[in-house]
Amino acid sequence: MTLFPHLFSPLRIGGMEVRNRILSTGHDTVMAHDGHVTDRLIAYQEARAKGGAGLIVVQVSGVHETARYTSHVLMATSDDAIPGYRALADAVHRHGARICGQLFHPGREIMETQDGTAPVAYAPSAVPNSRFHVMPVPLSLGMIGEIVSGYGDAAARLMQAGFDGCEIVASHGYLPAQFLNPNVNRREDLYGGSLENRLRFLREIAAGIRAKTSGDFVVGLRITGEEHDSQTIETGDVLTFCKMLDGDGVIDYFNVVAGTSASLKGAIHIVPPMFFAHAYSAPFSAALKQLVDKPVFVAGRINQPQTAEQVLASGQADMCGMTRAMICDPEMPAKAAKGLVDDIRACIACNQACIGHFHKGYPISCIQHPETGRELTLGIKTPTDRPKRIIVAGGGPAGMKAAAVLAARGHEVTLHEAQAQLGGQARLAQLLPGRAEFGGIITNLAREMELAGVAVKRNAPVTRALVEAQGATVVVIATGGKPHRPVIEGGEGTHVVDVWQVLAGQANVGANVLIADWRGDWVGLGLAEKLARDGCTVTLCVEGLFAGETIHGYVRDTMVGNLHRLGVKIEPYARLYGSDGTTIYMEHCASGEPILFEGIDTLVLSQGHDRVADLEAELEGFAGEVHVIGDALTPRTAEEAVLEGLKVGRAI
């Protein structure tokens, strides 16, 4: 008997039955090419179907030439797209999952163009957006008709390719939502003004799709319940719109999300980072369920089957979007169905390699599971035919991943950690405000090692003598890094500490603190928040364009918002130069002029890391193999550490 009876009960949606209530929501993968489905995208989605997902909604497909919001968007505007869609549908159906495709027009929410020039965007009215700084062209009645027809034609192509249905994207401030929003839609014709007029565009889309597809072809609607923005659609109006559409009898399900692409504040909720509560959009889906007869889905920080089961059992929704949960562990549904909850690699909502890769224009992946998105190149781990005795030095993310993969392939692996606990820098990262979930990477990788049969020795640093005594023929060095201490001019009488000392409780911090942040990541931001919440007056000096420059925008913007509320002063373009007692000297990165800060009790260094390479030097001339990975190779992030652990684990 399953631990999750609601999650693993079937669901009838229009003309299709889905085997369980686990949904992979539509999300861009950056795996399309020239508007078409690729083998890489097929392999990616097939992994989710094979892993047990009930319904897979494929990323957005443009319905009109003006819908190209990125240079790598799928397009359903031509019959040339049908063979690729058919291959994708076949791959998903082969494993018992159902598949729908998102139909999309961004309106004014265009991120980039094909050639890097500024876009010509179209919207209901000439109202610019805040995030991408796009001034749109008001849509003519003729173009509205073209776009409406494009939705129906695109749906017909998906049906011809074997898809079970389609999903109209009216969420996140995209074109249908722009018509619904009176702050964006200022038209005075039949498409503006009253609720009925603002809903007209969406109603015509739904009716057009239904007219061009069969009765058992599912037509769903993705809608934002709460945009979390000042220029928003009222929540009550969203409920009314959905009730009106439900009454039309054309929409087969409602898929509830949060946020809007139109502003930094609202965009955070498109892929909410770990600072937000699990399933925090479920209250809106619960309210919607009271008003409509069709199934209601919900997504947003539902990363564990326990959470999904609770949402379903309480009647807040009929299906749960668990997209990042399956990016992190494509086999999550199958493991949950078998009750193997401890084996599930839980998403920590770091946003680094999933949505973070997308916004950089790279195929998405996961820092904990680099195999995601690389199914065709790194997804297969061939058992070794020549087992070796291997020592892995270092129990941080790089070492744990390498050890797990090596042991799973049949090698005899012992991991040595010099400290009493595994995790490396992740143990410190989880101590920052709102970052406790980051510690999940330690739990998950430790479980991978346990399942693979890795022998783990704590308080056991590796030396050459130990390697030779153990008869190891391979050493993987993953000894990590240590705080970088730059040369500071002067320094007489200045209280200087580093981030590690503060987080470990090894330093007393004065009332007036300056953080010198070289990397511009979540460390400086997180420490500033921690110290401000502890009652300190904090100045964050960033050697870059802005705070959090190197991390994903949704994480950065959440953290910067927190600092603004706490009164933390942020000084960009500030390079640490020197100090004299309570005076800290910075150099402006662009002008070269000095920036002085006086009355500083404590200078906290967040200056990156130096690699710990002692063992590499000690093993020079060693007869066996030596591999150096992670920060021991050169300091970067957990993403590179785990990826290199996977690669070396496959290579030996």
Side-chain angles (χ1 to χ4, degrees):
M1 184 175 180
T2 178
L3 294 173
F4 311 106
H6 294 86
L7 189 60
F8 288 99
S9 62
L11 177 65
R12 170 64 60 175
I13 308 168
M16 72 175 176
E17 183 172 284
V18 183
R19 61 185 173 186
N20 59 47
R21 310 298 180 98
I22 298 174
L23 164 68
S24 177
T25 62
H27 57 286
D28 205 324
T29 61
V30 198
M31 296 179 199
H33 178 69
D34 196 24
H36 288 77
V37 171
T38 62
D39 290 343
R40 186 172 189 174
L41 177 57
I42 292 170
Y44 171 83
Q45 295 292 12
E46 185 172 10
R48 275 123 206 81
K50 186 177 180 180
L55 174 61
I56 292 173
V57 178
V58 177
Q59 66 196 68
V60 297
S61 292
V63 301
H64 189 267
E65 277 303 307
T66 56
R68 295 180 182 270
Y69 83 126
T70 70
S71 59
H72 44 75
V73 65
L74 281 175
M75 296 296 290
T77 52
S78 167
D79 289 350
D80 292 345
I82 293 174
Y85 285 123
R86 181 178 292 117
L88 177 55
D90 289 346
V92 168
H93 286 152
R94 187 157 49 242
H95 301 284
R98 296 291 193 169
I99 184 169
C100 293
Q102 287 189 322
L103 302 182
F104 176 75
H105 196 296
R108 64 181 186 166
E109 298 302 315
I110 293 184
M111 294 173 56
E112 62 182 15
T113 60
Q114 307 300 302
D115 63 0
T117 59
V120 176
Y122 294 86
S125 306
V127 178
N129 62 11
S130 168
R131 185 170 168 222
F132 300 127
H133 305 284
V134 171
M135 175 61 79
V137 178
L139 281 162
S140 66
L141 292 177
M143 187 172 283
I144 288 175
E146 284 183 24
I147 292 172
V148 168
S149 181
Y151 276 94
D153 293 341
R157 292 186 179 99
L158 293 182
M159 185 181 71
Q160 185 177 341
F163 275 53
D164 299 293
C166 68
E167 181 177 274
I168 304 165
V169 179
S171 61
H172 298 136
Y174 299 122
L175 185 58
Q178 291 162 32
F179 273 93
L180 300 178
N181 189 341
N183 298 293
V184 181
N185 181 356
R186 297 177 181 170
R187 300 178 74 96
E188 297 179 355
D189 58 11
L190 290 174
Y191 292 94
S194 67
L195 290 175
E196 290 78 7
N197 281 358
R198 284 185 277 131
L199 185 59
R200 189 180 307 277
F201 179 67
L202 188 48
R203 271 180 155 161
E204 289 180 353
I205 289 170
I209 291 172
R210 183 54 73 204
K212 294 179 179 179
T213 58
S214 63
D216 61 352
F217 185 76
V218 170
V219 181
L221 178 72
R222 193 183 207 193
I223 189 106
T224 294
E226 297 173 279
E227 291 191 337
H228 298 283
D229 187 38
S230 57
Q231 302 296 309
T232 185
I233 309 172
E234 293 294 333
T235 300
D237 285 353
V238 177
L239 291 170
T240 300
F241 287 137
C242 291
K243 185 175 181 180
M244 294 166 71
L245 289 166
D246 190 51
D248 292 343
V250 177
I251 299 299
D252 293 308
Y253 70 79
F254 296 88
N255 185 5
V256 171
V257 291
T260 173
S261 173
S263 70
L264 296 178
K265 181 174 180 288
I268 289 167
H269 299 272
I270 297 176
V271 187
M274 67 180 74
F275 308 105
F276 293 91
H278 295 278
Y280 72 104
S281 292
F284 181 87
S285 65
L288 181 58
K289 266 188 66 64
Q290 301 302 310
L291 297 177
V292 300
D293 294 328
K294 300 299 192 298
V296 174
F297 308 167
V298 68
R301 291 283 280 130
I302 303 175
N303 72 333
Q304 287 275 43
Q306 296 92 327
T307 304
E309 178 70 16
Q310 184 177 14
V311 169
L312 297 169
S314 62
Q316 293 178 290
D318 300 294
M319 180 170 274
C320 289
M322 305 184 72
T323 305
R324 281 180 291 174
M326 287 182 281
I327 291 175
C328 187
D329 192 342
E331 297 177 349
M332 179 275 295
K335 292 176 181 177
K338 296 175 182 177
L340 302 175
V341 291
D342 290 340
D343 296 351
I344 293 172
R345 186 185 306 103
C347 167
I348 59 175
C350 68
N351 280 7
Q352 183 171 339
C354 50
I355 187 68
H357 274 207
F358 162 66
H359 280 142
K360 292 179 179 180
Y362 299 120
I364 66 169
S365 187
C366 176
I367 72 166
Q368 297 191 77
H369 190 61
E371 296 93 330
T372 285
R374 302 179 176 97
E375 286 81 6
L376 296 178
T377 55
L378 299 181
I380 299 174
K381 303 177 186 69
T382 306
T384 182
D385 56 3
R386 290 192 294 175
K388 298 178 180 179
R389 180 171 293 178
I390 300 174
I391 287 178
V392 177
M400 286 194 286
K401 185 66 175 182
V405 175
L406 286 164
R409 292 183 52 235
H411 292 294
E412 180 187 340
V413 182
T414 303
L415 181 138
H416 288 250
E417 167 53 45
Q419 304 298 319
Q421 294 178 292
L422 298 172
Q425 293 177 48
R427 290 193 293 114
L428 295 174
Q430 66 184 338
L431 300 178
L432 293 168
R435 300 285 294 188
E437 211 163 333
F438 197 86
I441 193 173
I442 305 171
T443 304
N444 294 334
L445 288 170
R447 182 60 173 168
E448 285 188 35
M449 288 199 299
E450 181 181 354
L451 292 172
V454 176
V456 176
K457 296 185 181 296
R458 297 172 174 83
N459 294 312
V462 176
T463 63
R464 181 164 186 156
L466 182 144
V467 170
E468 292 174 344
Q470 296 295 321
T473 57
V474 180
V475 179
V476 177
I477 299 175
T479 44
K482 61 184 178 181
H484 174 65
R485 286 270 185 159
V487 175
I488 303 174
E489 294 293 327
E492 298 281 336
T494 303
H495 183 217
V496 183
V497 299
D498 62 52
V499 171
W500 287 25
Q501 291 172 318
V502 176
L503 291 179
Q506 299 171 350
N508 293 320
V509 177
N512 196 351
V513 180
L514 186 147
I515 300 171
D517 180 5
W518 165 76
R519 182 161 173 76
D521 61 4
W522 48 265
V523 178
L525 284 168
L527 189 66
E529 181 175 345
K530 170 181 166 50
L531 293 176
R533 293 190 183 280
D534 288 345
C536 298
T537 299
V538 181
T539 300
L540 176 63
C541 289
V542 182
E543 191 174 332
L545 305 180
F546 47 83
E549 183 179 357
T550 66
I551 59 177
H552 183 251
Y554 298 168
V555 178
R556 174 187 66 240
D557 296 339
T558 304
M559 299 181 83
V560 168
N562 290 341
L563 296 191
H564 183 263
R565 296 183 191 98
L566 291 167
V568 172
K569 180 183 178 182
I570 298 176
E571 186 77 33
Y573 289 93
R575 177 187 296 121
L576 179 61
Y577 180 78
S579 68
D580 182 9
T582 61
T583 301
I584 308 299
Y585 299 90
M586 294 279 172
E587 177 187 10
H588 193 280
C589 296
S591 73
E593 296 295 316
I595 312 171
L596 271 64
F597 297 89
E598 298 181 319
I600 302 300
D601 297 314
T602 304
L603 170 63
V604 181
L605 301 177
S606 181
Q607 295 285 300
H609 302 94
D610 293 322
R611 70 191 191 108
V612 175
D614 300 354
L615 182 59
E616 182 183 6
E618 189 178 349
L619 288 175
E620 187 173 351
F622 173 62
E625 298 179 46
V626 176
H627 302 268
V628 186
I629 60 174
D631 281 7
L633 177 60
T634 188
R636 288 152 296 159
T637 76
E639 178 183 359
E640 292 81 20
V642 176
L643 176 60
E644 288 172 3
L646 169 62
K647 287 182 174 179
V648 78
R650 295 178 76 254
I652 295 174

